[in-house]
Structure formats: structure tokens, C-alpha cells
Amino acid sequence: MAAQRRYSRVEEADLRALRDIVGPENVSTRGWDLAVSSANAIGEVEGRAEAVVWPASAEEVSEVLRYCSERGIPVTPRGSGSSTSGNATPVMGGIVISTRRMNRILEVSREDLLAVVEPGVVYESLNSKLRELGLFFPPEPASGSVSTIGGMVGNNSSGFRAVKYGVTRDYVSGLEVALPSGEIIRLGTRAPKSSIGYDLVRLFVGSEGTLGFFTKITLKLRPLPEARRTGICYAESAGRAAEAIFDVMASPARPSAIEYLDSRVLRLLSESGYPYREAGAALLVETDGTERAAEDDMSRIESICRSRGGDFRRAGGAEEEKLWSGRRALGALVARLSPYIIVGDVDVPVSKLPWIVEEIYGLGREAGVGLVVFGHAGDGNLHVNILAGGRDPESRRRAEDLYARIIERTIEAGGAVAGEHGIGVEKRGFMEAQHGRRVLELMRRIKEVIDPSWIMNPGKLLPD
Amino acid sequence: MAAQRRYSRVEEADLRALRDIVGPENVSTRGWDLAVSSANAIGEVEGRAEAVVWPASAEEVSEVLRYCSERGIPVTPRGSGSSTSGNATPVMGGIVISTRRMNRILEVSREDLLAVVEPGVVYESLNSKLRELGLFFPPEPASGSVSTIGGMVGNNSSGFRAVKYGVTRDYVSGLEVALPSGEIIRLGTRAPKSSIGYDLVRLFVGSEGTLGFFTKITLKLRPLPEARRTGICYAESAGRAAEAIFDVMASPARPSAIEYLDSRVLRLLSESGYPYREAGAALLVETDGTERAAEDDMSRIESICRSRGGDFRRAGGAEEEKLWSGRRALGALVARLSPYIIVGDVDVPVSKLPWIVEEIYGLGREAGVGLVVFGHAGDGNLHVNILAGGRDPESRRRAEDLYARIIERTIEAGGAVAGEHGIGVEKRGFMEAQHGRRVLELMRRIKEVIDPSWIMNPGKLLPD
């Protein structure tokens, strides 16, 4: 187990060996580089790399990993570091291997609807290239302007549009992986469909850098929709909004996004100058596809919402843009409310949404801790922002206790402790409650098959 | 490894122990029961159960597995036995555990778009119940009237509609599994989305009964489309048909099925009285969704096909039904052409379709062996029917050699040796060419973590 294991510190001889592999200019121990490579997007995870390495090829990664396995040096794979769960922070020290120089789009095939990329390609860069060909890679995370494809695959990331298009896991057709042993393996195929033994591709997707380092990723693509429609449905209560969600999701109309905004969030948004009004709750809805399909789906959603008593309105042009930019800004708006925030990412069966939202606010009131909850309603995915108030130990403890109770309720509801942010450091303590002891034991033994020295991203995903 | 391992024979004392667990009437060694429980849907896989067991609960399965692990008795999980790869044939003897009595639909939730079923539920029975609620479980295999959900999950099955709706893997939200140790574990959640550590759900999906026995399956559901449209596009050549496929798949119009029928298949169908005509090749296309979306998608596909020089016609009513029943009958029609047939199930990147179809027929001519090729074109999935001619060793050898060469070409094209039929007995010999030695070694070691006595479905999936 990681906890019992003793890792080696990075010594001068190690730096020389790493420089021999990737070139002297691609290993750094400068303070600034170490700080940047150790930082979190959010949260209080602490860790500091002893060195950062920028390899340019699978072969270089492979040599670095083989070396670190032999020496027992922890390795943290890192893209842009936008994880909200502390995934890319080297909590056990050792080296960070950055994907910064492995950022080439190697191939895009319109006929096969595939792209082959290196792990450091940024989501938006890939999509801006794909757009020219009328294609896209759908699982847009809110952080898509910085998130790398390698990080998305490691984390099984997603966002708004997962409700229609699915998550990263659904789009990974093949992986080239450098294993901690230094071996380079190829998983999966270029075929659209396969049933060829244990699905190791999907074992590695979402493994958060704990099994190997992705050196090449083959992604499935989709044709770009030619039209979008946006509508917003204000409901008098959370319960009425939830009924509309059930009906929309069970209808043949398919939203490409359906976001839940409660009364507190609506107030925050309208006070911040976004074109929202106060109400019991609201659903921000998008449809897409061909012109007709987008229109047809939206008009059906409109009538479902109205039949549930909702005040529904279409939004176009500048207003449409402002509605979505308000939704996208929510994370940042909420961050201003408190110097320290825990960002939860629970996911519950859709039928449990109204119950759990009320439950969460009730627990917050009891604990005297502020909360802002919003999320991807069609997917049951709620971002629970716990406003700790301060960074002092007492405020943090209260916020963490509240978080633990929210997680308990999530598991009770048959839900998942993370919908799209992964486990990282932050949710390791909930893994046993989520999976049970025996399943965790299986995960640990699978980890040991692939990474017997436990050098890959130690301190993440699996509890000690 | 399975090959080196020596398994125990089922003795009188074992039968007594099994009867104690499931009741005397639920263990059989009668000739008829053993024959039925050992038979193949197709192919020449040989094996004979020593006993068949019909448990009624997870607890009974668990006790049976624990007993067999201790005694070293091979266990073959079996649904309806419709595998075309020999998956459910007890090639090493031992016992067959049938899912026949575990056939309850435990829950259907419209709000959560989930069903919880036992493994022996037949695909069509589930869907006929779901239809009443306006829902369905999409990955319809051609054998859906007999295939069980347990078998579909074990095999990661799919069919016509995978091109739009995906495969079984995409719909499994949770699994209850009895492990060979007798432990019962629960994998996954009821949440629509999750990113909570290694994806063991998808490790078990497609594991072909080699890791454990599914005792409960939680499936995602979809709203039933309210309309369908069918069209057929005749092209002057395979190449022109392929161009139409590329354009359709890269357009925002989304077919719910797009089947490739070549000139030989068209002749076979029209000679068998189905409403097809002879041509270079044809695409049988379906769209679905709301009335408008189905119509809009089909009219776009129509214009794409026409712009590629295709002779496109819509089909409705009785003709529509006959076109699809012809397509569904193809397996049976082809089976009449030869006393012994190998049914290949290769899957290639869509861009390689025209090349590989010609390649396959070329190889057949060279070998002097008849062939019929058809399949799910949008998915690159081709069912390659090799008409061996006779069951004599020489005919079989020629057919098998041809099959091996077709598989070589498939792998060369970046494809998969099985699109939806799994590996079973039949394709074990291709696993190393498909995955490479190191990846196979990882699969074996993962197998050993979960089934250290190698009792689960030995002789399947992993080569010796």
C-alpha cells in the first residue's frame, strides 16, 4: 500500500539521469516551475514537486518511468492542473511529468470520425481545429479552455452536454500508455465497436494517473450540430422544476443541456448582472442538432415545462449568450463568497434530486454553513459549493463535517461521490463507503498488477 | 494458466453438495439437460457439462461458486446459449450454471430511466414491458427474442442500432456479481454519471463469464422513439455505397441503423422473395426519434445518397417490414448455403470498409471458398460468413485458414477481431495478434486477481 511504502527523494544523481533522458533544458528544480507544477485549481491540497520533467515522446516518458520505478520516486502526471480534486498535485513529492511538450494533434479523420492526439492537447484547441471540419469532441468540461485531453481521459471528465453526448469514457477508442515498468502498450483499436476481451481502455480511463501515463489518445468524434436553441423555465418551487426534469428526460425530445438553478443561485446570478430573475428554481435548457430537430426538441420541452406550470421563455442572440456565460461564471461567482470553499460533485439518481437538494440545504442550516448548489440536472450531477467561511481549523472542520454528511446522503440515495471531478486526494476518504471494502481491495490488487512499486500518482484515488 | 491447470471431475459427492444448495430438483445430470446446456447456437465448439444447476438467488450462486472454487470444478455461466462464439459451451466439462430461474424484472423507474433485472431476463421480454412505459433498452441484438440480459452484458452485445444508441457496455450502470470466492460484490451506482475510481463495471461487461456470475444488473434506459423511417439506397458499386456511408456519418443527420448489403447479398435476398433488387451494393437505412426528427434525418440521408448517385427510395408499411425481416433473416438464409459456416464478426474503421470487403472476397476467390458479407456499416461491423462447404477436415482447414487471413487484414486495418460476438472459444487464437503479448499478460493477471483457481468459464476469451 502507498501509505506503508517509503519513497525515495530526488537526488542530484536522479536529476542527472532525468536530464540524460529528456535533455537538460527539460528538467527543472527552479522554485517557480515547482510551484506552478504543484498548484491546485481549488482546495487545500498540499504537495510540492522535487523536480518537473517535460518529455517530448512516449519513449522519453517510458525511460523516465522505468527509472523512477527502479528508484522508488513518486511520479505525478500533469496536464494543465485544473483538477478540482487535487489530482495533479504531487502530495508525496517526487517528480511531476508534464504533458506540456506532448501537445500535437497527430491525425483527424472525417471518414473514421477519429482524432489521434498527444495528452497535452487542450480541449478547446482540438475543438477549434475540428470545427473547421464540421466535427467536435463533445464532453466539454467547464474548464475546456485550459483542460488537456490527457487530464480529461485520466479523470473521465464531462460537463453540460454529457446529458446528451456522454462523458469522456464514451469517446476513447484507443490508448497508448507508458506503464511504470517502462513498457509502452497499446489498448483498444480504431474500430467503432469491439468486444475483444477485458476492456482495459476503460480501466485506464478515469484511473487518475495511478496506472500509467497516456502518450497517445484515439478519440471518437461527432458531427457538429448545425443549430442550437436555448430556453429557460422558471418554476415556483424546486419540486415543480424536478417534475419538469423527469418529464423532459422521459420524453423523446432530447436536451443537449439541462441545468438546475435554485432560488439562491438565481438571486446570485441576477445580482451579478446576468439576465436571470428570481424564482423558486429554474432550468436552463439547450437543444441541438439539425435546424428542425433543435427547434422541435425545444418546442416539446417548452410544452412539457408549461404543462408543469413553468414560466418558459426562449432566448436568442445576446441574451442566450449571457444566460450561458452566467452559468459558466457560477464557479467563479461562488468562489468570491468565501475565502475557502469545498466543491462537491455528487451525482444522484434523477428522482432523488429534489430530495437531496433540500436535504443539503437543511444540513447546511443545521451546521450554520453557507451553501450554493447547482448542476447538470439531467445527469443528477450537483456541484455542491460549501462556503467554509474562513481557513481557520474550526471553519474547515465544520465545512468538512458537512461535506461528509452530504456524501453519506448521496450514497444512501444510490449515488456517486463524484460525477465528473474524480476522486483525487479530496474524496479518497469516501471510497470505502462508496464501494465497500471488498471492491476497494480488488482495485488495490489491480493497481498492484500494473504498478507494483506504487509510484504512479501516490496519495490519489485509493485510500491508504 | 487454464491449460496447465487440472480440473476436478464432478463426482457423486459434488452432486449431493450442489443439491443441498439449490434443492434436488435444480441439479440435473440427465442426458437431455446436459445436451441442451452444452449446445452451441452455431459453429463446432465441443464440450459437455457434467451437471447443470439452476439456482434461484445470488446466495445460491455464491454457495455454488465457493464450492466449485474449493473443488476445482469448472463453471460455465449460461443464459439462452445463443452465443455464436461458443461462449456458453462447457469446453472443460464441470457444471453449467443456468440463469433460467433468475429471470425477474425487479424494478423499472421512469424517473431514473433505470431497470434492475436478474441475468436470465430475455431482451424482448424486458423491452415489451418497457414499451408500456414508453421506454426501451436499445442495444438490440439480432437474437433479441432469445438472448438474455446476463448474456448480453457478458458479451457486450449489440446490433443494428448501435450506430446511434451504442452497445450494452454503455447502458450498464451497476452490477451485482458473485465472485468465484463466493463473495457477492456490488459495482457501480444508480447515478447517471460517475467518476469514482477504476471502472470495474466495465471490466466485468464483456468478460464473458470468466470473472464472475452476474446476479443483478442495473440498466440505463431510453425513451422510446415515437417514429421511424426506412429508406434503401442502391449504389452502382461498393465504393459508391461507401462514400455515401462516410457522408451520412459525418453529417448532422443520425441514422438509427445503416446496413451494408453487397451485390451477392442483394441477389440472395431477392431470390428468397424479399423486396430487394440486384445492384452493386445497397444501404438499408433507418432513422428514428420524434416524428419531425425521423423525417428530417431521413430526407437529409436521402439527399446525401442521391448526391452520391444512389437510387434512393423510401419504404413504408408492409414493404418496410419485409425489408427488415429480410435483413434479419440473412443469418438463416446464409446458413442454408453450407453445412458448416464460420461466422466472422470483424469491425474496421469505416474508411476501410470498401477496401476490406473487396479484400475479403479476393481472399475467398484465392482460397476457393464461398463467402457472404454483410453488416452494420455505420459501425464498421461486418459479419463475414465463410461457407466451408463440408465438415470434412480439408474443408474446415481451408475455411479456417481463410478466416485467419481475414483476421490478419482486420488487424492491419486497425480493426477488432470481434465487433459484437465476443471472443469465446473461436477467437482465442487471435487474441495475441489483436492485443500483443504484454496486454494479454495484463489481462491474465487481472483474471488471476479475481479468479485465482481459474474456474470461471475456462477455455474462453484468454488463450492458453
Side-chain angles (χ1 to χ4, degrees):
Chain A
M1 280 343 61
Q4 294 131 21
R5 192 164 288 281
R6 292 180 65 196
Y7 292 103
S8 305
R9 306 282 303 171
V10 177
E11 292 166 12
E12 200 44 52
D14 299 320
L15 295 173
R16 278 196 300 275
L18 294 170
R19 286 187 191 115
D20 280 351
I21 299 170
V22 296
E25 68 286 14
N26 294 313
V27 176
S28 174
T29 54
R30 283 181 300 266
W32 171 251
D33 289 330
L34 300 185
V36 164
S37 302
S38 306
N40 291 297
I42 202 165
E44 296 284 280
V45 178
E46 274 162 39
R48 175 91 171 180
E50 298 166 67
V52 54
V53 178
W54 296 284
S57 69
E59 291 62 35
E60 289 182 2
V61 173
S62 145
E63 283 187 59
V64 170
L65 291 180
R66 181 181 294 119
Y67 183 84
C68 290
S69 271
E70 279 162 15
R71 282 276 297 124
I73 293 173
V75 172
T76 302
R78 187 173 173 110
S80 63
S82 58
S83 162
T84 59
S85 310
N87 253 320
T89 294
V91 291
M92 306 276 195
I95 68 164
V96 161
I97 307 185
S98 163
T99 59
R100 202 173 70 190
R101 293 173 68 219
M102 296 178 73
N103 63 353
R104 289 175 303 162
I105 298 171
L106 301 171
E107 183 196 340
V108 176
S109 165
R110 179 181 168 272
E111 289 179 354
D112 291 331
L113 295 174
L114 285 181
V116 182
V117 302
E118 290 184 321
V121 171
V122 168
Y123 178 81
E124 269 303 349
S125 322
L126 174 61
N127 271 325
S128 79
K129 171 149 185 181
L130 294 176
R131 221 168 284 135
E132 296 164 20
L133 300 164
L135 302 174
F136 78 128
F137 168 50
E140 184 178 347
S143 54
S145 59
V146 294
S147 298
T148 61
I149 305 295
M152 289 181 67
V153 174
N155 227 9
N156 186 29
S157 304
S158 58
F160 295 138
R161 301 207 171 98
V163 65
K164 177 167 180 176
Y165 290 100
V167 299
T168 300
R169 178 202 290 135
D170 305 318
Y171 290 88
V172 183
S173 175
L175 287 173
E176 182 185 85
V177 186
L179 296 180
S181 61
E183 290 158 299
I184 297 174
I185 58 170
R186 280 161 202 89
L187 302 173
T189 68
R190 290 173 62 97
K193 216 165 82 169
S194 69
S195 181
I196 50 174
Y198 305 152
D199 190 345
L200 299 190
V201 170
R202 279 164 195 82
L203 182 66
F204 277 81
V205 175
S207 63
E208 304 187 7
T210 65
L211 298 179
F213 191 104
F214 307 137
T215 51
K216 216 178 273 178
I217 299 161
T218 304
L219 295 172
K220 298 186 184 194
L221 307 175
R222 292 285 294 273
L224 204 59
E226 63 185 22
R228 296 193 192 284
R229 295 285 185 280
T230 290
I232 184 156
C233 170
Y234 291 101
E236 65 187 29
S237 68
R240 298 310 293 266
E243 287 167 5
I245 297 169
F246 305 150
D247 289 346
V248 168
M249 295 304 295
S251 83
R254 207 148 185 226
S256 50
I258 177 165
E259 295 292 305
Y260 178 78
L261 308 167
D262 75 8
S263 56
R264 299 153 187 87
V265 169
L266 289 170
R267 196 170 320 121
L268 178 64
L269 284 167
S270 70
E271 284 169 5
S272 306
Y274 291 100
Y276 288 89
R277 73 165 174 82
E278 296 200 17
L283 301 174
L284 179 63
V285 185
E286 184 195 75
T287 59
D288 73 1
T290 61
E291 278 287 345
R292 268 200 199 164
E295 178 53 37
D296 188 35
D297 281 351
M298 187 55 83
S299 66
R300 277 159 186 263
I301 291 170
E302 176 168 356
S303 45
I304 292 169
C305 288
R306 285 191 199 283
S307 76
R308 287 294 180 179
D311 169 16
F312 185 97
R313 43 176 301 174
R314 298 286 191 108
E319 191 194 0
E320 178 177 23
E321 233 167 80
K322 279 183 194 149
L323 285 170
W324 285 106
S325 65
R327 170 61 189 83
R328 284 198 175 82
L330 265 179
L333 291 177
V334 169
R336 283 188 220 145
L337 301 178
S338 166
Y340 175 53
I341 286 182
I342 297 177
V343 180
D345 170 43
V346 302
D347 203 291
V348 295
V350 177
S351 67
K352 303 287 187 185
L353 269 182
W355 171 80
I356 206 160
V357 171
E358 284 319 302
E359 198 69 11
I360 289 171
Y361 280 115
L363 290 168
R365 274 192 303 273
E366 249 173 58
V369 176
L371 281 163
V372 181
V373 181
F374 53 89
H376 313 312
D379 278 333
N381 192 196
L382 290 176
H383 296 318
V384 180
N385 296 265
I386 303 176
L387 314 178
R391 285 174 195 271
D392 56 289
E394 173 55 20
S395 304
R396 291 178 60 155
R397 196 196 47 74
R398 276 193 307 166
E400 278 158 20
D401 285 353
L402 172 59
Y403 190 30
R405 282 199 297 278
I406 292 169
I407 293 287
E408 257 172 44
R409 298 294 193 281
T410 301
I411 293 174
E412 204 181 302
V417 303
E420 56 185 23
H421 295 175
I423 300 299
V425 177
E426 207 203 15
K427 300 179 202 83
R428 285 201 313 156
F430 306 132
M431 283 288 277
E432 188 170 325
Q434 174 82 76
H435 294 287
R437 207 174 262 204
R438 180 59 179 137
V439 174
L440 262 193
E441 170 65 19
L442 284 181
M443 289 189 191
R444 282 203 190 91
R445 295 199 50 204
I446 289 169
K447 160 83 171 173
E448 242 148 36
V449 162
I450 298 168
D451 180 22
S453 317
W454 286 73
I455 61 157
M456 295 304 300
N457 214 3
K460 316 294 166 64
L461 199 147
L462 293 168
D464 300 328
Chain B
M1 287 329 74
Q4 294 133 17
R5 193 164 287 278
R6 292 180 65 198
Y7 292 103
S8 304
R9 305 284 301 171
V10 177
E11 292 167 11
E12 200 44 53
D14 299 319
L15 296 172
R16 278 198 300 274
L18 294 171
R19 286 188 191 114
D20 280 350
I21 299 170
V22 296
E25 68 285 15
N26 294 313
V27 177
S28 174
T29 55
R30 283 181 301 265
W32 172 250
D33 288 331
L34 300 184
V36 165
S37 303
S38 306
N40 292 297
I42 202 164
E44 297 283 280
V45 178
E46 273 161 40
R48 175 91 170 181
E50 297 166 70
V52 54
V53 178
W54 295 284
S57 68
E59 290 64 34
E60 289 182 4
V61 173
S62 145
E63 284 187 57
V64 170
L65 291 181
R66 182 181 294 120
Y67 183 85
C68 290
S69 271
E70 278 162 16
R71 282 276 295 124
I73 294 172
V75 171
T76 303
R78 187 173 173 108
S80 63
S82 58
S83 162
T84 58
S85 310
N87 253 320
T89 295
V91 291
M92 305 277 195
I95 67 164
V96 160
I97 307 185
S98 163
T99 59
R100 202 173 71 189
R101 293 173 68 220
M102 297 178 73
N103 64 353
R104 289 176 302 164
I105 297 172
L106 301 172
E107 183 196 340
V108 176
S109 165
R110 178 181 169 274
E111 291 179 353
D112 291 331
L113 296 173
L114 286 180
V116 183
V117 302
E118 290 185 321
V121 171
V122 168
Y123 178 81
E124 269 302 350
S125 323
L126 174 61
N127 271 324
S128 78
K129 171 149 185 182
L130 295 176
R131 221 168 282 134
E132 296 165 19
L133 300 164
L135 302 174
F136 79 129
F137 167 51
E140 183 178 350
S143 55
S145 60
V146 294
S147 298
T148 60
I149 305 296
M152 288 180 68
V153 175
N155 226 9
N156 186 27
S157 304
S158 58
F160 293 139
R161 300 207 171 100
V163 65
K164 177 167 180 175
Y165 290 101
V167 299
T168 299
R169 179 201 290 137
D170 305 317
Y171 289 87
V172 183
S173 174
L175 288 173
E176 181 186 86
V177 186
L179 297 181
S181 61
E183 290 158 299
I184 298 174
I185 58 171
R186 281 163 201 90
L187 302 174
T189 69
R190 290 173 63 96
K193 217 165 80 169
S194 68
S195 181
I196 49 174
Y198 303 153
D199 191 347
L200 299 189
V201 170
R202 279 165 196 83
L203 181 67
F204 277 80
V205 175
S207 63
E208 304 187 9
T210 64
L211 298 179
F213 191 103
F214 308 137
T215 51
K216 215 178 272 177
I217 299 161
T218 305
L219 295 172
K220 299 185 183 194
L221 307 175
R222 291 285 294 271
L224 204 60
E226 63 184 23
R228 295 191 191 284
R229 295 285 185 280
T230 290
I232 185 159
C233 170
Y234 291 100
E236 65 187 27
S237 68
R240 298 310 293 265
E243 287 166 4
I245 297 169
F246 305 150
D247 288 346
V248 168
M249 295 305 295
S251 83
R254 202 143 191 231
S256 50
I258 178 163
E259 295 292 305
Y260 178 78
L261 307 166
D262 76 9
S263 57
R264 299 154 188 87
V265 169
L266 289 170
R267 196 171 319 119
L268 178 64
L269 283 167
S270 71
E271 285 168 5
S272 307
Y274 292 99
Y276 289 88
R277 71 167 176 80
E278 296 199 15
L283 301 175
L284 179 62
V285 185
E286 184 194 75
T287 59
D288 72 1
T290 61
E291 279 287 345
R292 269 202 200 163
E295 178 54 38
D296 188 35
D297 280 351
M298 187 55 82
S299 67
R300 277 159 186 263
I301 291 170
E302 177 167 356
S303 47
I304 292 169
C305 288
R306 285 192 199 282
S307 77
R308 286 294 180 180
D311 168 16
F312 185 96
R313 45 176 300 175
R314 299 285 192 109
E319 191 194 0
E320 179 177 21
E321 232 166 79
K322 278 182 194 149
L323 285 170
W324 285 107
S325 65
R327 170 61 190 83
R328 284 198 174 81
L330 265 178
L333 292 176
V334 169
R336 282 188 220 145
L337 301 177
S338 166
Y340 176 54
I341 286 181
I342 297 177
V343 181
D345 170 44
V346 301
D347 204 289
V348 295
V350 177
S351 67
K352 302 287 186 185
L353 270 181
W355 171 79
I356 206 160
V357 170
E358 284 320 300
E359 197 70 10
I360 289 171
Y361 280 115
L363 290 167
R365 275 191 303 273
E366 249 173 56
V369 176
L371 279 163
V372 182
V373 181
F374 53 90
H376 313 311
D379 278 331
N381 191 197
L382 290 175
H383 295 319
V384 180
N385 296 266
I386 303 176
L387 314 177
R391 284 175 194 271
D392 56 288
E394 173 55 18
S395 304
R396 291 178 59 155
R397 197 197 48 72
R398 275 193 308 165
E400 277 157 20
D401 285 353
L402 172 58
Y403 190 29
R405 281 199 297 277
I406 292 168
I407 292 287
E408 256 172 44
R409 297 295 193 279
T410 301
I411 294 174
E412 204 180 302
V417 303
E420 55 185 24
H421 294 176
I423 300 299
V425 177
E426 206 202 18
K427 300 178 202 84
R428 285 201 310 157
F430 306 132
M431 283 288 276
E432 188 168 326
Q434 175 83 74
H435 294 287
R437 208 175 260 201
R438 179 59 181 138
V439 174
L440 262 192
E441 170 65 17
L442 284 182
M443 289 189 190
R444 283 203 190 91
R445 295 200 49 206
I446 288 170
K447 159 83 171 173
E448 244 150 34
V449 162
I450 298 169
D451 181 22
S453 317
W454 286 73
I455 62 158
M456 295 304 300
N457 214 3
K460 316 293 165 63
L461 198 147
L462 292 168
D464 300 327

